[in-house]
Amino acid sequence: MKDEVKELIPEAEITKRVRELGEQISKDYAGKELHVICILKGGVFFMCELVKHITVPVTHDFMAVSSYGDGTVSSGRIKIVKDLDDSIEGKDVLIVEDIIDSGRTLQHLLQVLGARNPKSIRLCTLLNKPDRREVEIPVDYIGFSIEDLFVVGYGLDYAQHYRNLPYVGVVEV
Ligand code: IMP
Ligand code: MG
């Protein structure tokens, strides 16, 4: 399977960037406690590495969402497949996602979670595809902005495969 994927961002570059993001987040949240919400499944690979470089106290929760509607176009109406275990009221929340494409998933999630009265909400994504954005959302931490390519690895899947690749690549069809 590995041979079908062309490397786009090498493992060493991701490791370096994830460390930088962790250090930046630690500075920004100095003196605070951070509640990290990981968006399953893709975000979990990134989150696990990121939090190792965060030096303020961190708690974790997980959420799984799926897009309503057909095929490859994100409808923007998302279904919560697994909700959070804990309340986020009064907490400084950081949402950790694998990739932001149209932005519709996170736009909806920000509305849903924002209504639960957190103290603050910020977004952190490993990858960003700015050319694909359909709705404006504030993204506070971005690992890499990439072209409009379908990528896999480091948590990202193609039909549930390739999440375990240690690098980000493009599936060659
Ligand atoms: P959005 O609502 O369009 O921003 O959807 C983002 C979601 O689409 C991500 O959480 C991924 O699950 C999926 N996605 C978007 N682009 C890619 C890609 O290049 N590879 C794998 N999954 C992707
Ligand atoms: Mg996803």
Side-chain angles (χ1 to χ4, degrees):
M1 275 235 182
K2 198 178 167 185
D3 293 342
E4 301 162 24
V5 179
K6 187 166 171 262
E7 188 176 82
L8 183 70
I9 311 173
E11 182 176 9
E13 254 186 68
I14 302 173
T15 303
K16 180 169 169 279
R17 184 70 188 124
V18 171
R19 177 185 291 270
E20 286 170 1
L21 285 173
E23 288 168 357
Q24 183 63 51
I25 291 166
S26 302
K27 275 187 202 153
D28 294 351
Y29 287 87
K32 297 180 181 173
E33 201 166 308
L34 191 55
H35 189 59
V36 170
I37 293 178
C38 174
I39 309 302
L40 297 170
K41 303 170 185 148
V44 77
F45 298 76
F46 172 41
M47 184 213 72
C48 287
E49 295 308 311
L50 179 69
V51 295
K52 290 177 192 170
H53 303 289
I54 296 179
T55 51
V56 300
V58 179
T59 52
H60 304 273
D61 208 343
F62 298 87
M63 196 166 198
V65 298
S66 73
S67 206
Y68 280 112
D70 40 20
T72 55
V73 182
S74 186
S75 62
R77 294 183 54 232
I78 64 154
K79 186 170 81 173
I80 296 176
V81 178
K82 183 221 170 291
D83 206 339
L84 300 172
D85 289 336
D86 302 316
S87 164
I88 56 168
E89 192 167 346
K91 294 179 184 171
D92 287 308
V93 168
L94 182 68
I95 299 176
V96 175
E97 176 59 300
D98 51 5
I99 190 163
I100 303 177
D101 190 50
S102 72
R104 293 190 183 277
T105 303
L106 278 170
Q107 184 191 47
H108 186 84
L109 216 50
L110 281 172
Q111 281 169 9
V112 170
L113 297 180
R116 298 184 188 179
N117 299 319
K119 190 170 163 204
S120 68
I121 301 192
R122 284 187 180 177
L123 292 182
C124 177
T125 186
L126 176 66
L127 301 172
N128 180 40
K129 287 190 203 172
D131 298 344
R132 297 265 303 171
R133 197 74 89 254
E134 292 169 18
V135 290
E136 276 299 312
I137 47 163
V139 191
D140 303 280
Y141 304 100
I142 295 171
F144 302 90
S145 283
I146 60 168
E147 287 175 59
D148 181 7
L149 294 166
F150 192 83
V151 290
V152 296
Y154 218 90
L156 291 138
D157 74 302
Y158 173 60
Q160 299 301 327
H161 285 88
Y162 306 112
R163 291 192 197 275
N164 60 316
L165 293 178
Y167 55 90
V168 169
V170 180
V171 184
E172 302 208 295
V173 282

